[in-house]
Amino acid sequence: MKMNETTRFEDAARIWLSVKKLEVKANTYSESYERTVEKILLPRMEDITLGEIDREFTSKMFLELSEHYSDSTLHKCQIVIDGIFSEAVYAGAKLTPLPKIKIKSKIPQKAKRIYNQAEIEIIKEFAKTHRYGLSILLLSELGLRCSEMLALRWEDIHFDLKSIKVSKACVTVKGGALIDVPKSKSSIRELPLSDDFCEYLYLYGKGQSGYIINTGRKLMTPANYTKNRYNKFFKDMEMEGIYIRRLSPHELRHTCGTLLYEKTGDLYAVSKYLGHSSVAVTAKYYVHSDVELLRQRLKI
């Protein structure tokens, strides 16, 4: 389709999305591109033509976006707009390239919340007898992303090697969930199982096959799991008189990573265990005012 300066941004965006859908993984398309266009950009640019999008317009829009979204989301919006412009130019539109907008998010960065060792032990103990407890144990013991946990199958567990292979993710796409490859190669990993957890899984899954958690007729998305099972687990714990603040499934992953780092001081091993794309990503989340840890390691 030919495009020019009078082409509506919405039309150009949908053409660009149709191209990206063929080029990237389903979860990347859904979370990084489609969501950015549909939820963030179109509500602000639906009736705007390409020719109306100039430095002044984008500066004002990004200033408004900075009140509501993080730096990573602002960066994602910029990538998407640049991609749409490039596609429009390829299709014939004569457009002036947009300048990079250097606007920082005004949202205060949230402090990382984690459970301490005593809290996580109480949660794990309750999980051993709860109907949704296995998922809690998988998240907290292995530091899995929720999407990875929902894609696990009994066949991924190698009981003879005491290990579990993480190679898929249950991602949210328009209309439901889809089992896909994870977003990065580093997410594909084989994790060691402790003797106790390996035995627990063996006894729990004896004779079973297929998905470990996602056993319904329709695949659960991470959001549905959190709403219907994860939150129910913590509500039931409160009903039993066990009052521990309810963190998110991803904060269970942070808890696992933090406790592993405190135990070992080995940032590289923790990075590999969590499936981060680089040690720098791990350091961003887990190296933070570790005065006591440094004191122990350096014997000061």
Side-chain angles (χ1 to χ4, degrees), residues 261 267 271 276 278-288 290:
Y261 180 58
L267 196 62
S271 183
H276 284 159
S278 72
V279 176
V281 174
T282 315
K284 178 181 176 182
Y285 291 107
Y286 300 106
V287 179
H288 53 91
D290 294 315

Side-chain angles (χ1 to χ4, degrees), residues 10 19 54 64 70 78 81 83 88 103 149 237 240 261 266:
E10 180 180 7
V19 174
D54 56 14
E64 186 266 325
S70 66
Q78 189 137 42
I81 292 173
I103 294 178
M149 180 270 293
M237 202 160 62
E240 293 293 323
Y261 180 58
D266 191 332

